[in-house]
Amino acid sequence: MDRVKVALVGCGTIARAMHLPGIKTIEGMGKAELVAVCDAIPESMEAAREQFGIRKGYTDLDAMLADEPFDLLVNTTPIPQHYAVTLAALRAGKHVYTQKPMTTTVDEATELIEEAKRRGVLLASAPEHPTRPMIQAMRRMVEGGEIGTVAFAIVRSSHDGPEKHDVPRDSTWYYKPGSTPLLDLGVHGLSQITAILGPVRTLACISGRSQETRITTAGPFKGKRIDVEIDDNSHLLLDFGGATFAHMDATYCVEATLGPRLEIYGSEGVLSIAGQGAASTLQRYSPASKEWAAVDVPETPQVRDLGVLHLVDCLLTGQPLILTAERGRHLVEVLTKAPLAAQEG
């Protein structure tokens, strides 16, 4: 295989903002070819096909799996559909990269893992953070003892709420049963901290509903009232063993922050990610000098979709998969145990 033929299902906001531009960049690198897209809403499919110059479009996944020859399916459907769409693709013998979380139950995740093994195909799961050079650098520094024994970490996984983002979508679904800030945002912070400190052993959670209603303030649905039916304010305490802990927020309650997105406190120093997005920097505090200093980190590839790029490289070169389905299952395990912990105290 000299190029990976890619098809994408689910042409919503995340696909148009991240995955489709990313796959087109990978295509320009000569590593992939975007051959088809699929969406149950014909207008969404046609808009994506026209915007990104995609040859074929489908409104039925089964038809695309049966008729279109391709190697890798990128699953960017809504969270409740991840499991069924991925299972159908695996049964058709396709490699799959699925958006987060890969499923909504551990049993479903296990079934997908077993199906992928039976078919001899790769199954990778977002988020892509473990492939980021900055997260990999932090893992190496922690494992190398460069900040001594880690006591605890703070992980921020919140924003002000999807109804305040200027994107072409109705954000009502985010506040209905089946979608919570834990699944939407907490999975990002959890992906980062577990990539550095390893799997979570035990957890505690407090969770509640901070607002009963939300008003859409941007986008085409501006002014729409949303009844909040889920907890929009959850906080987890994670135990990694050996008296190493982390606090992680997962809320729609943070209008703004000057705090770091991720900070790890060790007996011999501190690691901190300051800034947002491409402007982020990794800083290390040394007790000896009592100063902060920037840490040199390899440049991040200029591709919006690092997860799909990683899987494509694995398929082309045989390099080990980092974004494994087993890692994705552990995220599901923690995210589904958290509400239970909150309920049971």
Side-chain angles (χ1 to χ4, degrees):
M1 183 188 303
D2 58 353
R3 284 195 307 172
V4 178
K5 291 186 176 181
V6 181
L8 177 142
V9 57
C11 300
T13 301
I14 188 66
R16 294 195 299 271
M18 175 183 177
H19 292 284
L20 289 170
I23 297 168
K24 294 300 287 186
T25 300
I26 300 169
E27 187 176 75
M29 299 164 67
K31 296 183 176 185
E33 178 185 2
L34 182 56
V35 299
V37 290
C38 178
D39 196 290
I41 301 174
E43 295 80 6
S44 295
M45 178 272 291
E46 288 293 350
R49 195 170 70 86
E50 181 177 346
Q51 181 180 353
F52 295 97
I54 303 164
R55 179 172 48 86
K56 296 290 290 292
Y58 295 83
T59 56
D60 182 81
L61 175 63
D62 291 335
M64 185 172 75
L65 292 172
D67 299 342
E68 190 67 31
F70 64 92
D71 308 301
L72 167 63
L73 181 77
V74 177
N75 180 0
T76 57
T77 58
I79 291 173
Q81 299 174 23
H82 289 175
Y83 162 73
V85 167
T86 297
L87 182 61
L90 294 175
R91 287 175 172 171
K94 308 299 183 182
H95 306 286
V96 177
Y97 181 85
T98 178
Q99 251 299 336
K100 51 76 181 175
M102 62 183 289
T103 60
T104 56
T105 72
V106 174
D107 287 344
E108 289 176 345
T110 298
E111 184 179 352
L112 295 182
I113 289 169
E114 293 174 348
E115 187 67 28
K117 289 178 179 177
R118 277 194 295 269
R119 303 290 176 173
V121 294
L122 293 183
L123 171 58
S125 176
E128 62 191 27
H129 304 296
T131 69
R132 294 186 181 277
M134 193 173 293
I135 297 298
Q136 293 178 343
M138 295 178 78
R139 182 184 180 99
R140 288 192 297 269
M141 295 175 75
V142 167
E143 290 182 341
E146 295 188 38
I147 61 168
T149 301
V150 174
F152 74 101
I154 292 176
V155 189
R156 300 192 180 278
S157 299
S158 299
H159 61 44
D160 54 351
E163 77 282 2
K164 297 179 181 178
H165 301 167
D166 191 5
V167 292
R169 68 167 180 232
D170 181 355
S171 296
T172 301
W173 179 81
Y174 286 89
Y175 294 98
K176 298 292 184 182
S179 177
T180 67
L182 281 168
L183 296 174
D184 181 30
L185 302 178
V187 65
H188 287 288
L190 190 61
S191 173
Q192 295 175 57
I193 198 61
T194 55
I196 299 167
L197 299 183
V200 175
R201 305 286 185 86
T202 61
L203 67 89
C205 178
I206 52 176
S207 185
R209 190 177 306 168
S210 71
Q211 299 181 48
E212 293 297 328
T213 60
R214 299 261 181 159
I215 303 298
T216 304
T217 59
F221 292 88
K222 183 176 180 179
K224 182 174 182 180
R225 176 192 174 100
I226 300 174
D227 292 328
V228 179
E229 300 178 29
I230 49 89
D231 287 357
D232 61 1
N233 186 16
S234 298
H235 298 258
L236 279 66
L237 185 64
L238 308 173
D239 181 357
F240 294 90
T244 298
F245 310 123
H247 167 260
M248 185 182 82
D249 58 61
T251 85
Y252 291 146
C253 306
V254 176
E255 291 292 333
T257 177
L258 293 175
R261 290 188 294 112
L262 175 60
E263 205 155 67
I264 301 178
Y265 305 94
S267 59
E268 302 297 330
V270 181
L271 294 175
S272 181
I273 297 180
Q276 297 291 327
S280 297
T281 60
L282 177 58
Q283 303 282 329
R284 177 187 176 187
Y285 177 80
S286 169
S289 65
K290 298 190 183 303
E291 293 181 343
W292 289 92
V295 177
D296 289 333
V297 175
E299 184 177 353
T300 301
Q302 297 302 301
V303 178
R304 291 190 188 182
D305 199 341
L306 293 178
V308 171
L309 174 62
H310 170 62
L311 180 52
V312 165
D313 282 338
C314 291
L315 292 172
L316 293 178
T317 69
Q319 70 186 54
L321 182 65
I322 296 173
L323 303 176
T324 63
E326 287 79 6
R327 181 189 294 274
R329 176 173 59 187
H330 180 58
L331 302 184
V332 171
E333 181 182 22
V334 174
L335 295 171
T336 54
K337 290 292 185 183
L340 182 62
Q343 292 166 11
E344 295 185 349

